[in-house]
Amino acid sequence: MKKTFLFILFSYLLVFPFYYTGTASGQSPSANDWKAGVSRAAITPEKPIWLAGYASRDHPSEGVLTDLWVKVLAIEDAGGKKALLITCDLLGFPKKISDQIRDQIAVKYGLARSRIILSYTHTHSGPVLTDALSDIYPLDEYQSEVISEYSHFLEKRIVDLSGEAIKAMVPARIYSRAGVTRFQVNRRNNNEASLTPLTALRGPNDYSVPVLKVTDTTGNLMAVVFGYACHATVLDIYMISGDYPGFAQIEMEKLHPGATAMFFQGAGADQNPLPRRTIPLAIQYGKELAAAVERVLNEDMNKLEPVLTTAYSEVDLTFAPPPSKDSLIKILNGPEGYQKRWASRQLERLEKDGSLMTTYPYPVEIWKLGDQVIMALGGEVVVEYSIGLKKLFGQGIFVMGYVNDDMAYIPSETILKEGGYEGESSQMVYGLPAKWSSGIQSVIFGEMRKLALKSGIKEVSQ
Ligand SMILES: [Zn+2]
């Protein structure tokens, strides 16, 4: 009886080896590939426009050094599950614009928030958007109008491009692996002005260069998606550009004509590209990053099974107690500057709502492509989040910061205690009522653990 059964099974395997392989891995033989589609468009502003990121600029842009781009990668797994990875050469999306874009994508293409990663490179040489860091820019009515017009154009462009990428999907393969490059410098723990004679720099850092390679089934490169955790602040001039991430994408596309290079920012909020402030340096860092990506493309990469898992949530982060009305009035009566504009905004809110914001809905997201885990966090995330998540979930995970909503810096518990720009004063730049209350790091890690559990991602023991 047993022998007969084994004989039948053996014959079956001889006749249907392919079928057996298919059922064993849970895939049918015709569905061993991903589908992928890419779309892109330049979003370089046509008129002079206020450039985002620095409070010290005092007039609009004077020209274009490099074009700015929105690039969309649509993917679909073997089970028909779709998702969109969108990268943009912009400082960041305020919540309102990001919500509007993601809501329209949901209505038009049926993709929930867990299926969209809306990422921004954080270039400090891109346009200001409506309602973003409004207090730090001394905008007149005309500039506000230019910014509003541009923001509307941008929203529509991103939604349209998302549809184009979905339409363009063809059978594809996706591979992953991380490389390394080391031009990021921890800007809190090293003094920029005295870097030259130093022989040792102080961390923490994360020098990882995560890379996704997307090819068609004949091996032609369709897209290369890569990240690095470092502020795009080489340049502070009045020329529009993608800063070093822009030059890295240009370099990759020169090396691979016809392919689309997409950059995502990591947890680089406390990392600067140093030294900085010249165009040749921005080009240098772009080429260094591209060289790191190119090395990864030329070595063995992990082929990812066409199984996509996605999860998204918004967790409330709490603010510390806000300033009193009296102290706001004191700032309002003080010297001109963004602090005064901030105080006036808080007083207006107090008048209108009776209280200031006490919590913020913070977006976190996890994607798993085959066995490649991608953890994505909103806002300006400092490097300790990347280090901490890798300790929890393994060194192979990819960490993205600066996705979905640019609401604030997200300091670690250490930085929150130390204070300074990333721990405290940047909250005013973002128009928020107070610094974060202690405990946000464990709230965020707790939420990532929940999402990971839901996504079947195991924690590693350290
Ligand atoms: Zn920043």
Side-chain angles (χ1 to χ4, degrees):
M1 186 70 184
K2 211 174 179 184
K3 266 187 189 166
T4 318
F5 173 74
L6 283 175
F7 177 72
I8 291 170
L9 177 66
F10 186 62
S11 316
Y12 183 79
L13 291 179
L14 274 182
V15 179
F16 300 110
F18 196 47
Y19 179 72
Y20 178 73
T21 313
T23 50
S25 64
Q27 304 295 327
S28 68
S30 59
N32 275 332
D33 289 322
W34 292 90
K35 278 186 185 163
V38 182
S39 65
R40 58 188 292 163
I43 49 158
T44 318
E46 284 169 5
K47 295 177 190 168
I49 193 166
W50 213 275
L51 296 182
Y54 300 113
S56 55
R57 285 201 182 99
D58 60 7
H59 60 273
S61 60
E62 291 171 346
V64 177
L65 180 62
T66 71
D67 273 325
L68 305 179
W69 293 88
V70 168
K71 297 170 181 173
V72 184
L73 171 66
I75 57 171
E76 184 180 305
D77 76 0
K81 193 170 180 184
K82 288 185 194 64
L84 294 172
L85 173 62
I86 305 167
T87 63
C88 310
D89 294 315
L90 292 168
L91 183 83
F93 290 98
K95 180 172 170 53
K96 195 173 162 195
I97 293 184
S98 171
D99 284 354
Q100 282 167 188
I101 291 170
R102 291 179 295 160
D103 286 350
Q104 287 180 60
I105 289 174
V107 170
K108 284 199 160 176
Y109 315 118
L111 298 178
R113 291 208 174 169
S114 67
R115 310 285 193 90
I116 306 161
I117 291 180
L118 182 58
S119 147
Y120 42 93
T121 65
H122 202 48
T123 175
H124 281 49
S125 297
V128 172
L129 301 181
T130 303
D131 289 334
L133 282 69
S134 318
D135 296 330
I136 66 163
Y137 310 119
L139 303 173
D140 60 19
E141 213 168 294
Y142 173 73
Q143 264 308 313
S144 300
E145 193 48 47
V146 171
I147 287 164
S148 163
E149 194 182 294
Y150 180 81
S151 300
H152 285 302
F153 150 80
L154 181 73
E155 266 185 54
K156 188 175 176 326
R157 204 75 197 89
I158 294 174
V159 175
D160 290 349
L161 282 171
S162 298
E164 285 172 30
I166 293 170
K167 255 194 216 143
M169 285 196 301
V170 293
R173 290 174 186 151
I174 307 180
Y175 305 79
S176 73
R177 190 175 171 177
V180 64
T181 194
R182 300 181 191 274
F183 61 82
Q184 63 168 227
V185 175
N186 189 303
R187 70 186 196 185
R188 288 177 63 86
N189 300 334
N190 301 281
N191 181 355
E192 184 172 346
S194 54
L195 276 189
T196 310
L198 292 184
T199 54
L201 298 175
R202 298 175 66 195
N205 307 95
D206 178 358
Y207 298 119
S208 180
V209 179
V211 180
L212 289 176
K213 176 173 87 169
V214 184
T215 72
D216 65 17
T217 50
T218 64
N220 284 325
L221 187 65
M222 295 169 65
V224 54
V225 183
F226 58 97
Y228 195 53
C230 184
H231 255 89
T233 52
V234 180
L235 301 174
D236 63 351
I237 52 180
Y238 288 84
M239 301 283 281
I240 290 169
S241 86
D243 206 273
Y244 81 81
F247 285 110
Q249 293 171 80
I250 289 169
E251 187 64 17
M252 286 312 298
E253 288 173 358
K254 251 192 242 166
L255 291 168
H256 300 277
T260 291
M262 301 166 70
F263 173 86
F264 66 83
Q265 189 55 255
D270 50 351
Q271 311 292 318
N272 265 347
L274 298 180
R276 57 181 182 165
R277 299 307 191 212
T278 72
I279 294 170
L281 271 170
I283 295 171
Q284 178 189 322
Y285 297 140
K287 285 186 173 177
E288 283 181 33
L289 183 51
V293 176
E294 191 59 14
R295 167 239 154 176
V296 173
L297 292 182
N298 287 316
E299 291 186 349
D300 283 342
M301 297 183 73
N302 313 315
K303 187 168 183 241
L304 306 177
E305 289 297 314
V307 181
L308 175 68
T309 309
T310 63
Y312 174 91
S313 72
E314 290 176 4
V315 59
D316 277 344
L317 299 186
T318 309
F319 292 109
S324 67
K325 194 173 175 181
D326 285 351
S327 55
L328 288 172
I329 291 171
K330 210 181 262 177
I331 299 172
L332 189 69
N333 294 330
E336 291 299 323
Y338 76 86
Q339 290 90 341
K340 190 175 172 140
R341 291 193 287 273
W342 169 83
S344 143
R345 181 186 299 272
Q346 302 305 318
L347 283 164
E348 259 172 46
R349 246 180 235 154
L350 210 49
E351 191 70 27
K352 198 171 141 235
D353 305 334
S355 63
L356 296 173
M357 232 190 310
T358 53
T359 61
Y360 193 94
Y362 179 70
V364 293
E365 189 163 355
I366 292 182
W367 281 12
K368 201 173 152 214
L369 280 67
D371 60 2
Q372 180 61 58
V373 174
I374 300 172
M375 297 197 161
L377 302 165
E380 302 211 43
V381 189
V382 299
V383 79
E384 279 173 79
Y385 283 88
S386 179
I387 294 166
L389 287 172
K390 287 179 179 181
K391 266 188 196 150
L392 278 174
F393 300 105
Q395 294 300 316
I397 67 164
F398 290 177
V399 178
M400 300 173 75
Y402 298 81
V403 298
N404 295 326
D405 179 2
D406 189 22
M407 80 303 290
Y409 272 82
I410 302 299
S412 61
E413 213 53 39
T414 312
I415 293 178
L416 200 53
K417 269 192 206 115
E418 289 170 358
Y421 185 69
E422 296 86 353
E424 186 160 2
S425 58
S426 59
Q427 296 289 81
M428 216 183 232
V429 169
Y430 273 96
L432 297 168
K435 67 176 198 170
W436 296 113
S437 72
S438 73
I440 61 161
Q441 183 175 322
S442 61
V443 170
I444 293 170
F445 280 173
E447 193 63 19
M448 291 311 269
R449 283 178 136 140
K450 267 192 232 162
L451 285 194
L453 193 65
K454 212 172 118 185
S455 312
I457 296 161
K458 290 200 181 86
E459 291 181 32
V460 294
S461 50
Q462 289 292 309

